[in-house]
Amino acid sequence: MSDEIVFYTNPMSRGRIVRWMLEELGRPYRTEVLDYGTTMKAPAYLAINPMGKVPAVTWRGVVVTECAGICAWLADACPEAGLSPAFDDPARGAWLRWMFFAAGPLEAAVTARSLGLLAPADKAMMAGYGSFEAVVDTLETAVTKGPYILGDRFSAADVYVGSQIVWGLMFKSLPERPAFRAYADRLTARPAAVRAREIDDALIAAAPPPA
């Protein structure tokens, strides 16, 4: 059972979220860069993630996939980093709430809107997100109670929720609101976020051109 954190990713993927999380932890880790359609679908990686998608993390014999799950698991596995409230900390409820809100209703609503597949108003109750407008308004409440999701305390929830907001503003899949922009600017200026971007951007720049 290896004590080395192994991070499977592609620099043009949601793996950028986990890269940022790993940089916030400050622990050493090894990166395995996979290519779409080849190594990502090879038997060796399918044994780790049968979906053939990145990111994934292995550590101490445990495999974790899905960005929100990876961020939450790493935060709990490394309590010294202070990125997750303890089980008996009242803040843990809000931490879990917003992590799962971003992984569920937020991503579903943004994806549905981008594909032109939002549930019609008369069937909104059947969709977990209800309506796109309700999701966006609710998201705004999460980032206006303090500089971070937990007020003055930065956590893994900011890595995951913040990544959704940063990308949403970049790709215009979320509306430009002052609260979102201020929150995104605070997060992207963090040293760990800067390091993570630089690492992944360098990997993109060094990649060979498509055949």
Side-chain angles (χ1 to χ4, degrees):
M1 185 169 62
S2 174
D3 196 46
E4 179 182 47
I5 299 175
V6 183
F7 169 43
Y8 299 87
T9 189
N10 181 288
M12 297 180 68
S13 76
R14 288 177 174 84
R16 294 178 76 102
I17 300 173
V18 175
R19 171 85 68 188
W20 176 16
M21 180 67 191
L22 287 164
E23 290 297 317
E24 291 284 356
L25 288 178
R27 279 181 171 265
Y29 62 93
R30 173 165 60 88
T31 302
E32 292 285 341
V33 177
L34 304 179
D35 295 321
Y36 291 99
T38 56
T39 49
M40 214 177 286
K41 303 299 183 183
Y45 185 64
L46 291 176
I48 294 170
N49 185 359
M51 289 284 288
K53 299 177 70 174
V54 292
V57 164
T58 61
W59 189 26
R60 297 173 179 169
V62 177
V63 176
V64 187
T65 67
E66 315 313 318
C67 287
I70 294 170
C71 289
W73 182 73
L74 287 173
D76 281 346
C78 304
E80 70 280 0
L83 296 177
S84 65
F87 183 77
D88 58 353
D89 185 332
R92 190 167 179 87
W95 185 76
L96 288 169
R97 172 192 180 185
W98 295 113
M99 290 279 278
F100 280 84
F101 175 83
L106 176 58
E107 181 155 355
V110 167
T111 300
R113 182 173 181 267
S114 298
L115 296 174
L117 296 173
L118 281 170
D122 62 336
K123 292 184 171 58
M125 290 182 64
M126 298 174 64
Y129 56 81
S131 72
F132 180 79
E133 293 74 17
V135 167
V136 172
D137 289 345
T138 301
L139 178 64
E140 187 170 8
T141 69
V143 301
T144 54
K145 297 177 181 178
Y148 303 116
I149 296 290
L150 300 181
D152 292 331
R153 179 179 177 182
F154 177 83
S155 73
D158 297 294
V159 173
Y160 187 69
V161 179
S163 293
Q164 302 272 21
I165 291 175
V166 169
W167 286 358
L169 295 176
M170 182 185 304
F171 295 111
K172 303 189 184 307
S173 56
L174 284 175
E176 181 75 42
R177 293 188 179 182
F180 292 158
R181 177 57 61 188
Y183 179 64
D185 288 348
R186 281 193 295 276
L187 296 184
T188 55
R190 291 182 62 82
V194 173
R195 288 196 305 273
R197 284 197 305 273
E198 290 176 346
I199 292 168
D200 279 324
D201 289 349
L203 286 171
I204 292 172

